[in-house]
Amino acid sequence: MWGTSFARATVMAFMARSPTTTVTSRSFTSTTTSLAATQYLLKYDYIPDVLEKRGPYREKHLGLAQKLIDEGRCLSGGPTGPVEMEVPTGALFIFTDVEAAQQFVKEDPYVSGGIVTGHDIQEYNVVLQK
């Protein structure tokens, strides 16, 4: 019984206090600086018989990619497709600037030779990296 009386007294004392409001505000700031790690992804879609038809274009295709890598404008590139693929369904390249990605598409013999059926360039903002 003493516990119930004590609890009731505590609640009554709490309710009888004069109302005071304390507001603690915290200032949040946001920045709109450009991300230093912005890169550009170029995704290619290939024809189904890419392995049979890429031969005449492959050396110049790889040479163009290597030139942009040597200039520091292409970071990597290679074929893509389902896990354990035997025939790639496309490719993915990572560029440091959008102009390099656009140049690659414009000059790539895989595009002019009909190996690439479609492409897409997207901005990629690296947030986490090893």
Side-chain angles (χ1 to χ4, degrees):
M1 181 160 163
W2 184 81
T4 305
S5 297
F6 179 73
R8 185 176 300 153
T10 303
V11 169
M12 296 299 284
F14 174 78
M15 294 177 74
R17 285 190 354 203
S18 62
T20 59
T21 304
T22 305
V23 176
T24 305
S25 67
R26 186 170 178 185
S27 169
F28 291 97
T29 60
S30 67
T31 59
T32 56
T33 59
S34 64
L35 297 172
T38 299
Q39 298 170 351
Y40 298 87
L41 305 178
L42 168 61
K43 170 130 179 23
Y44 273 174
D45 296 317
Y46 285 160
I47 58 174
D49 52 350
V50 60
L51 297 180
E52 294 82 16
K53 296 195 174 174
R54 70 181 178 182
Y57 313 105
R58 187 164 169 74
E59 186 177 336
K60 288 184 181 177
H61 166 77
L62 294 175
L64 176 60
Q66 189 61 56
K67 174 183 169 249
L68 291 168
I69 287 171
D70 292 344
E71 293 173 0
R73 298 177 69 202
C74 180
L75 301 176
S76 63
T80 61
V83 175
E84 299 183 24
M85 69 178 164
E86 291 185 26
V87 178
T89 56
L92 180 69
F93 296 86
I94 303 175
F95 294 92
T96 59
D97 59 275
V98 71
E99 293 82 11
Q102 293 166 337
Q103 175 186 348
F104 190 80
V105 171
K106 183 179 177 184
E107 298 177 14
D108 188 3
Y110 273 23
V111 174
S112 59
I115 302 300
V116 174
T117 61
H119 75 277
D120 185 40
I121 298 172
Q122 294 188 358
E123 187 173 292
Y124 169 53
N125 293 307
V126 179
V127 175
L128 299 173
Q129 187 171 339
K130 182 176 179 181

